[in-house]
Amino acid sequence: MLTQRSRYALRSMLFLARAPAGSPPIPMTRIAAEATVPRKFLELILADLRDAQLLHSYRGKMGGYVLARPAHLISLGEIIRVIEGPLALVPCVSRTAYRPCNDCKSEIDCEIRHAMMRVRDETARILDGTSLADATADKLAAA
């Protein structure tokens, strides 16, 4: 299950994705209100997304946040990985944070590992294949 932090990140990014191209930066207070995200959490989430180069932030009276790339070039998978880390349910199938399971006798023969590889691959395929633009479209096409 997604953590509440990931849901907040997704809602915030989807709100920003709905802004017309070339719009001025959107203040954090407006993002918090429109995406229904508590400001104290939003500040940390937006900083993580900015550090991952998914957002640009601007200071000052007219400051705020904008997507760093067009909405069709930012996937839900990217956002979730920034907030949650790897998509894999077990560490032995992670592509970015691999480590062997402590109680595994043989990775080659492990049925759990083989099943979790398929789950990881399909989850990544769907999340990486769904952009912010796809998610904000009127009707989300089946992946």
PDB file of all heavy atoms in Angstrom, residues 87-95 101 104 106-124:
ATOM      1  N   LEU A  87      10.412   0.014  -5.712  1.00  0.00           N
ATOM      2  CA  LEU A  87       9.058  -0.532  -5.846  1.00  0.00           C
ATOM      3  C   LEU A  87       8.972  -1.991  -5.401  1.00  0.00           C
ATOM      4  O   LEU A  87       7.883  -2.480  -5.131  1.00  0.00           O
ATOM      5  CB  LEU A  87       8.591  -0.438  -7.300  1.00  0.00           C
ATOM      6  CG  LEU A  87       8.435   0.958  -7.888  1.00  0.00           C
ATOM      7  CD1 LEU A  87       8.078   0.862  -9.363  1.00  0.00           C
ATOM      8  CD2 LEU A  87       7.415   1.770  -7.125  1.00  0.00           C
ATOM      9  N   ALA A  88      10.097  -2.672  -5.347  1.00  0.00           N
ATOM     10  CA  ALA A  88      10.115  -4.101  -5.017  1.00  0.00           C
ATOM     11  C   ALA A  88       9.572  -4.351  -3.617  1.00  0.00           C
ATOM     12  O   ALA A  88       9.848  -3.606  -2.682  1.00  0.00           O
ATOM     13  CB  ALA A  88      11.532  -4.649  -5.124  1.00  0.00           C
ATOM     14  N   LEU A  89       8.822  -5.444  -3.486  1.00  0.00           N
ATOM     15  CA  LEU A  89       8.249  -5.810  -2.186  1.00  0.00           C
ATOM     16  C   LEU A  89       9.232  -6.568  -1.304  1.00  0.00           C
ATOM     17  O   LEU A  89       9.048  -6.631  -0.091  1.00  0.00           O
ATOM     18  CB  LEU A  89       6.983  -6.643  -2.389  1.00  0.00           C
ATOM     19  CG  LEU A  89       5.829  -5.917  -3.085  1.00  0.00           C
ATOM     20  CD1 LEU A  89       4.663  -6.865  -3.310  1.00  0.00           C
ATOM     21  CD2 LEU A  89       5.394  -4.713  -2.290  1.00  0.00           C
ATOM     22  N   VAL A  90      10.243  -7.158  -1.905  1.00  0.00           N
ATOM     23  CA  VAL A  90      11.295  -7.846  -1.151  1.00  0.00           C
ATOM     24  C   VAL A  90      12.645  -7.349  -1.674  1.00  0.00           C
ATOM     25  O   VAL A  90      12.786  -7.052  -2.853  1.00  0.00           O
ATOM     26  CB  VAL A  90      11.187  -9.395  -1.253  1.00  0.00           C
ATOM     27  CG1 VAL A  90       9.946  -9.899  -0.534  1.00  0.00           C
ATOM     28  CG2 VAL A  90      11.182  -9.863  -2.687  1.00  0.00           C
ATOM     29  N   PRO A  91      13.646  -7.264  -0.808  1.00  0.00           N
ATOM     30  CA  PRO A  91      14.917  -6.651  -1.223  1.00  0.00           C
ATOM     31  C   PRO A  91      15.687  -7.440  -2.283  1.00  0.00           C
ATOM     32  O   PRO A  91      16.454  -6.855  -3.036  1.00  0.00           O
ATOM     33  CB  PRO A  91      15.713  -6.562   0.079  1.00  0.00           C
ATOM     34  CG  PRO A  91      15.111  -7.568   0.986  1.00  0.00           C
ATOM     35  CD  PRO A  91      13.659  -7.659   0.600  1.00  0.00           C
ATOM     36  N   CYS A  92      15.454  -8.736  -2.371  1.00  0.00           N
ATOM     37  CA  CYS A  92      16.242  -9.548  -3.302  1.00  0.00           C
ATOM     38  C   CYS A  92      15.835  -9.357  -4.767  1.00  0.00           C
ATOM     39  O   CYS A  92      16.510  -9.864  -5.665  1.00  0.00           O
ATOM     40  CB  CYS A  92      16.174 -11.028  -2.919  1.00  0.00           C
ATOM     41  SG  CYS A  92      14.540 -11.751  -3.088  1.00  0.00           S
ATOM     42  N   VAL A  93      14.745  -8.617  -5.017  1.00  0.00           N
ATOM     43  CA  VAL A  93      14.353  -8.351  -6.402  1.00  0.00           C
ATOM     44  C   VAL A  93      14.463  -6.874  -6.761  1.00  0.00           C
ATOM     45  O   VAL A  93      14.142  -6.483  -7.876  1.00  0.00           O
ATOM     46  CB  VAL A  93      12.927  -8.873  -6.725  1.00  0.00           C
ATOM     47  CG1 VAL A  93      12.838 -10.367  -6.517  1.00  0.00           C
ATOM     48  CG2 VAL A  93      11.867  -8.145  -5.952  1.00  0.00           C
ATOM     49  N   SER A  94      14.939  -6.064  -5.841  1.00  0.00           N
ATOM     50  CA  SER A  94      15.068  -4.642  -6.103  1.00  0.00           C
ATOM     51  C   SER A  94      16.188  -4.382  -7.097  1.00  0.00           C
ATOM     52  O   SER A  94      17.275  -4.958  -6.983  1.00  0.00           O
ATOM     53  CB  SER A  94      15.356  -3.885  -4.809  1.00  0.00           C
ATOM     54  OG  SER A  94      15.587  -2.525  -5.094  1.00  0.00           O
ATOM     55  N   ARG A  95      15.927  -3.504  -8.045  1.00  0.00           N
ATOM     56  CA  ARG A  95      16.953  -3.136  -9.011  1.00  0.00           C
ATOM     57  C   ARG A  95      17.874  -2.053  -8.469  1.00  0.00           C
ATOM     58  O   ARG A  95      19.002  -1.917  -8.919  1.00  0.00           O
ATOM     59  CB  ARG A  95      16.308  -2.663 -10.309  1.00  0.00           C
ATOM     60  CG  ARG A  95      15.658  -3.795 -11.054  1.00  0.00           C
ATOM     61  CD  ARG A  95      15.189  -3.370 -12.416  1.00  0.00           C
ATOM     62  NE  ARG A  95      14.700  -4.538 -13.139  1.00  0.00           N
ATOM     63  CZ  ARG A  95      13.737  -4.502 -14.022  1.00  0.00           C
ATOM     64  NH1 ARG A  95      13.161  -3.367 -14.318  1.00  0.00           N
ATOM     65  NH2 ARG A  95      13.362  -5.607 -14.628  1.00  0.00           N
ATOM     66  N   CYS A 101      17.897 -11.803   0.930  1.00  0.00           N
ATOM     67  CA  CYS A 101      17.049 -12.013   2.113  1.00  0.00           C
ATOM     68  C   CYS A 101      17.838 -12.836   3.129  1.00  0.00           C
ATOM     69  O   CYS A 101      18.565 -13.761   2.759  1.00  0.00           O
ATOM     70  CB  CYS A 101      15.769 -12.737   1.723  1.00  0.00           C
ATOM     71  SG  CYS A 101      14.731 -11.777   0.618  1.00  0.00           S
ATOM     72  N   CYS A 104      16.844 -16.744   3.200  1.00  0.00           N
ATOM     73  CA  CYS A 104      16.726 -17.462   1.926  1.00  0.00           C
ATOM     74  C   CYS A 104      17.866 -18.476   1.774  1.00  0.00           C
ATOM     75  O   CYS A 104      19.029 -18.136   1.963  1.00  0.00           O
ATOM     76  CB  CYS A 104      16.753 -16.469   0.777  1.00  0.00           C
ATOM     77  SG  CYS A 104      16.386 -17.223  -0.811  1.00  0.00           S
ATOM     78  N   SER A 106      18.298 -20.314  -1.178  1.00  0.00           N
ATOM     79  CA  SER A 106      18.799 -20.254  -2.551  1.00  0.00           C
ATOM     80  C   SER A 106      17.928 -19.311  -3.375  1.00  0.00           C
ATOM     81  O   SER A 106      16.758 -19.597  -3.619  1.00  0.00           O
ATOM     82  CB  SER A 106      18.774 -21.651  -3.179  1.00  0.00           C
ATOM     83  OG  SER A 106      18.977 -21.567  -4.569  1.00  0.00           O
ATOM     84  N   GLU A 107      18.507 -18.195  -3.807  1.00  0.00           N
ATOM     85  CA  GLU A 107      17.753 -17.258  -4.636  1.00  0.00           C
ATOM     86  C   GLU A 107      17.297 -17.898  -5.938  1.00  0.00           C
ATOM     87  O   GLU A 107      16.218 -17.606  -6.433  1.00  0.00           O
ATOM     88  CB  GLU A 107      18.591 -16.014  -4.944  1.00  0.00           C
ATOM     89  CG  GLU A 107      18.643 -15.037  -3.827  1.00  0.00           C
ATOM     90  CD  GLU A 107      19.318 -13.739  -4.225  1.00  0.00           C
ATOM     91  OE1 GLU A 107      19.739 -13.578  -5.387  1.00  0.00           O
ATOM     92  OE2 GLU A 107      19.437 -12.869  -3.345  1.00  0.00           O
ATOM     93  N   ILE A 108      18.115 -18.752  -6.489  1.00  0.00           N
ATOM     94  CA  ILE A 108      17.788 -19.399  -7.766  1.00  0.00           C
ATOM     95  C   ILE A 108      16.535 -20.265  -7.649  1.00  0.00           C
ATOM     96  O   ILE A 108      15.714 -20.309  -8.563  1.00  0.00           O
ATOM     97  CB  ILE A 108      18.987 -20.242  -8.270  1.00  0.00           C
ATOM     98  CG1 ILE A 108      20.151 -19.317  -8.599  1.00  0.00           C
ATOM     99  CG2 ILE A 108      18.605 -21.073  -9.476  1.00  0.00           C
ATOM    100  CD1 ILE A 108      21.453 -20.037  -8.867  1.00  0.00           C
ATOM    101  N   ASP A 109      16.356 -20.923  -6.506  1.00  0.00           N
ATOM    102  CA  ASP A 109      15.223 -21.825  -6.323  1.00  0.00           C
ATOM    103  C   ASP A 109      14.053 -21.201  -5.561  1.00  0.00           C
ATOM    104  O   ASP A 109      13.042 -21.865  -5.344  1.00  0.00           O
ATOM    105  CB  ASP A 109      15.680 -23.075  -5.557  1.00  0.00           C
ATOM    106  CG  ASP A 109      16.768 -23.832  -6.314  1.00  0.00           C
ATOM    107  OD1 ASP A 109      16.683 -23.907  -7.557  1.00  0.00           O
ATOM    108  OD2 ASP A 109      17.708 -24.319  -5.660  1.00  0.00           O
ATOM    109  N   CYS A 110      14.152 -19.983  -5.158  1.00  0.00           N
ATOM    110  CA  CYS A 110      13.137 -19.361  -4.305  1.00  0.00           C
ATOM    111  C   CYS A 110      11.897 -18.981  -5.114  1.00  0.00           C
ATOM    112  O   CYS A 110      11.942 -18.086  -5.962  1.00  0.00           O
ATOM    113  CB  CYS A 110      13.714 -18.135  -3.608  1.00  0.00           C
ATOM    114  SG  CYS A 110      12.530 -17.343  -2.505  1.00  0.00           S
ATOM    115  N   GLU A 111      10.778 -19.649  -4.823  1.00  0.00           N
ATOM    116  CA  GLU A 111       9.521 -19.363  -5.517  1.00  0.00           C
ATOM    117  C   GLU A 111       9.003 -17.972  -5.186  1.00  0.00           C
ATOM    118  O   GLU A 111       8.415 -17.290  -6.035  1.00  0.00           O
ATOM    119  CB  GLU A 111       8.446 -20.401  -5.163  1.00  0.00           C
ATOM    120  CG  GLU A 111       8.737 -21.795  -5.671  1.00  0.00           C
ATOM    121  CD  GLU A 111       9.474 -22.656  -4.637  1.00  0.00           C
ATOM    122  OE1 GLU A 111       9.804 -22.153  -3.543  1.00  0.00           O
ATOM    123  OE2 GLU A 111       9.717 -23.838  -4.946  1.00  0.00           O
ATOM    124  N   ILE A 112       9.219 -17.538  -3.944  1.00  0.00           N
ATOM    125  CA  ILE A 112       8.773 -16.203  -3.543  1.00  0.00           C
ATOM    126  C   ILE A 112       9.492 -15.152  -4.380  1.00  0.00           C
ATOM    127  O   ILE A 112       8.881 -14.214  -4.901  1.00  0.00           O
ATOM    128  CB  ILE A 112       9.010 -15.966  -2.037  1.00  0.00           C
ATOM    129  CG1 ILE A 112       8.139 -16.914  -1.221  1.00  0.00           C
ATOM    130  CG2 ILE A 112       8.747 -14.510  -1.662  1.00  0.00           C
ATOM    131  CD1 ILE A 112       8.467 -16.920   0.262  1.00  0.00           C
ATOM    132  N   ARG A 113      10.791 -15.307  -4.530  1.00  0.00           N
ATOM    133  CA  ARG A 113      11.578 -14.347  -5.309  1.00  0.00           C
ATOM    134  C   ARG A 113      11.100 -14.294  -6.758  1.00  0.00           C
ATOM    135  O   ARG A 113      10.930 -13.211  -7.319  1.00  0.00           O
ATOM    136  CB  ARG A 113      13.058 -14.720  -5.260  1.00  0.00           C
ATOM    137  CG  ARG A 113      13.949 -13.745  -6.026  1.00  0.00           C
ATOM    138  CD  ARG A 113      15.438 -14.043  -5.793  1.00  0.00           C
ATOM    139  NE  ARG A 113      16.240 -12.935  -6.216  1.00  0.00           N
ATOM    140  CZ  ARG A 113      16.756 -12.815  -7.440  1.00  0.00           C
ATOM    141  NH1 ARG A 113      16.561 -13.745  -8.347  1.00  0.00           N
ATOM    142  NH2 ARG A 113      17.480 -11.758  -7.752  1.00  0.00           N
ATOM    143  N   HIS A 114      10.852 -15.451  -7.358  1.00  0.00           N
ATOM    144  CA  HIS A 114      10.395 -15.485  -8.755  1.00  0.00           C
ATOM    145  C   HIS A 114       9.042 -14.791  -8.907  1.00  0.00           C
ATOM    146  O   HIS A 114       8.828 -14.023  -9.852  1.00  0.00           O
ATOM    147  CB  HIS A 114      10.332 -16.918  -9.270  1.00  0.00           C
ATOM    148  CG  HIS A 114      11.671 -17.580  -9.343  1.00  0.00           C
ATOM    149  ND1 HIS A 114      12.681 -17.136 -10.171  1.00  0.00           N
ATOM    150  CD2 HIS A 114      12.177 -18.633  -8.672  1.00  0.00           C
ATOM    151  CE1 HIS A 114      13.753 -17.903 -10.004  1.00  0.00           C
ATOM    152  NE2 HIS A 114      13.477 -18.817  -9.097  1.00  0.00           N
ATOM    153  N   ALA A 115       8.135 -15.038  -7.969  1.00  0.00           N
ATOM    154  CA  ALA A 115       6.824 -14.389  -8.016  1.00  0.00           C
ATOM    155  C   ALA A 115       6.958 -12.879  -7.813  1.00  0.00           C
ATOM    156  O   ALA A 115       6.324 -12.085  -8.515  1.00  0.00           O
ATOM    157  CB  ALA A 115       5.902 -14.988  -6.963  1.00  0.00           C
ATOM    158  N   MET A 116       7.793 -12.476  -6.865  1.00  0.00           N
ATOM    159  CA  MET A 116       7.960 -11.054  -6.566  1.00  0.00           C
ATOM    160  C   MET A 116       8.665 -10.304  -7.692  1.00  0.00           C
ATOM    161  O   MET A 116       8.458  -9.102  -7.876  1.00  0.00           O
ATOM    162  CB  MET A 116       8.707 -10.856  -5.248  1.00  0.00           C
ATOM    163  CG  MET A 116       7.915 -11.257  -4.022  1.00  0.00           C
ATOM    164  SD  MET A 116       6.373 -10.340  -3.829  1.00  0.00           S
ATOM    165  CE  MET A 116       5.168 -11.609  -4.183  1.00  0.00           C
ATOM    166  N   MET A 117       9.466 -11.011  -8.482  1.00  0.00           N
ATOM    167  CA  MET A 117      10.076 -10.385  -9.669  1.00  0.00           C
ATOM    168  C   MET A 117       8.991 -10.006 -10.669  1.00  0.00           C
ATOM    169  O   MET A 117       9.018  -8.917 -11.242  1.00  0.00           O
ATOM    170  CB  MET A 117      11.068 -11.337 -10.333  1.00  0.00           C
ATOM    171  CG  MET A 117      12.452 -11.204  -9.861  1.00  0.00           C
ATOM    172  SD  MET A 117      13.483 -12.221 -10.954  1.00  0.00           S
ATOM    173  CE  MET A 117      14.929 -12.275  -9.973  1.00  0.00           C
ATOM    174  N   ARG A 118       8.038 -10.912 -10.868  1.00  0.00           N
ATOM    175  CA  ARG A 118       6.938 -10.626 -11.795  1.00  0.00           C
ATOM    176  C   ARG A 118       6.097  -9.455 -11.277  1.00  0.00           C
ATOM    177  O   ARG A 118       5.705  -8.584 -12.047  1.00  0.00           O
ATOM    178  CB  ARG A 118       6.076 -11.857 -12.016  1.00  0.00           C
ATOM    179  CG  ARG A 118       6.777 -12.939 -12.829  1.00  0.00           C
ATOM    180  CD  ARG A 118       5.842 -14.012 -13.352  1.00  0.00           C
ATOM    181  NE  ARG A 118       4.946 -14.567 -12.351  1.00  0.00           N
ATOM    182  CZ  ARG A 118       5.214 -15.611 -11.558  1.00  0.00           C
ATOM    183  NH1 ARG A 118       6.378 -16.226 -11.655  1.00  0.00           N
ATOM    184  NH2 ARG A 118       4.333 -16.042 -10.687  1.00  0.00           N
ATOM    185  N   VAL A 119       5.836  -9.458  -9.982  1.00  0.00           N
ATOM    186  CA  VAL A 119       5.068  -8.361  -9.382  1.00  0.00           C
ATOM    187  C   VAL A 119       5.812  -7.038  -9.563  1.00  0.00           C
ATOM    188  O   VAL A 119       5.230  -6.031  -9.978  1.00  0.00           O
ATOM    189  CB  VAL A 119       4.794  -8.631  -7.883  1.00  0.00           C
ATOM    190  CG1 VAL A 119       4.218  -7.396  -7.196  1.00  0.00           C
ATOM    191  CG2 VAL A 119       3.867  -9.823  -7.712  1.00  0.00           C
ATOM    192  N   ARG A 120       7.114  -7.040  -9.268  1.00  0.00           N
ATOM    193  CA  ARG A 120       7.925  -5.825  -9.440  1.00  0.00           C
ATOM    194  C   ARG A 120       7.903  -5.343 -10.879  1.00  0.00           C
ATOM    195  O   ARG A 120       7.692  -4.168 -11.161  1.00  0.00           O
ATOM    196  CB  ARG A 120       9.367  -6.086  -8.998  1.00  0.00           C
ATOM    197  CG  ARG A 120      10.277  -4.868  -9.181  1.00  0.00           C
ATOM    198  CD  ARG A 120      11.703  -5.192  -9.548  1.00  0.00           C
ATOM    199  NE  ARG A 120      11.825  -6.021 -10.726  1.00  0.00           N
ATOM    200  CZ  ARG A 120      12.841  -6.858 -10.938  1.00  0.00           C
ATOM    201  NH1 ARG A 120      13.795  -6.980 -10.035  1.00  0.00           N
ATOM    202  NH2 ARG A 120      12.904  -7.571 -12.043  1.00  0.00           N
ATOM    203  N   ASP A 121       8.098  -6.263 -11.814  1.00  0.00           N
ATOM    204  CA  ASP A 121       8.147  -5.882 -13.221  1.00  0.00           C
ATOM    205  C   ASP A 121       6.828  -5.295 -13.710  1.00  0.00           C
ATOM    206  O   ASP A 121       6.804  -4.287 -14.420  1.00  0.00           O
ATOM    207  CB  ASP A 121       8.541  -7.081 -14.089  1.00  0.00           C
ATOM    208  CG  ASP A 121       9.988  -7.498 -13.886  1.00  0.00           C
ATOM    209  OD1 ASP A 121      10.768  -6.736 -13.281  1.00  0.00           O
ATOM    210  OD2 ASP A 121      10.337  -8.616 -14.334  1.00  0.00           O
ATOM    211  N   GLU A 122       5.707  -5.910 -13.328  1.00  0.00           N
ATOM    212  CA  GLU A 122       4.399  -5.410 -13.757  1.00  0.00           C
ATOM    213  C   GLU A 122       4.052  -4.096 -13.069  1.00  0.00           C
ATOM    214  O   GLU A 122       3.503  -3.192 -13.709  1.00  0.00           O
ATOM    215  CB  GLU A 122       3.308  -6.455 -13.513  1.00  0.00           C
ATOM    216  CG  GLU A 122       3.348  -7.596 -14.513  1.00  0.00           C
ATOM    217  CD  GLU A 122       3.207  -7.111 -15.955  1.00  0.00           C
ATOM    218  OE1 GLU A 122       2.212  -6.422 -16.274  1.00  0.00           O
ATOM    219  OE2 GLU A 122       4.106  -7.394 -16.770  1.00  0.00           O
ATOM    220  N   THR A 123       4.368  -3.995 -11.801  1.00  0.00           N
ATOM    221  CA  THR A 123       4.120  -2.749 -11.077  1.00  0.00           C
ATOM    222  C   THR A 123       4.921  -1.616 -11.711  1.00  0.00           C
ATOM    223  O   THR A 123       4.386  -0.532 -11.979  1.00  0.00           O
ATOM    224  CB  THR A 123       4.491  -2.900  -9.583  1.00  0.00           C
ATOM    225  OG1 THR A 123       3.708  -3.958  -9.019  1.00  0.00           O
ATOM    226  CG2 THR A 123       4.249  -1.615  -8.821  1.00  0.00           C
ATOM    227  N   ALA A 124       6.192  -1.854 -11.957  1.00  0.00           N
ATOM    228  CA  ALA A 124       7.051  -0.837 -12.580  1.00  0.00           C
ATOM    229  C   ALA A 124       6.552  -0.492 -13.972  1.00  0.00           C
ATOM    230  O   ALA A 124       6.516   0.688 -14.346  1.00  0.00           O
ATOM    231  CB  ALA A 124       8.497  -1.320 -12.629  1.00  0.00           C
TER     232      ALA A 124
END
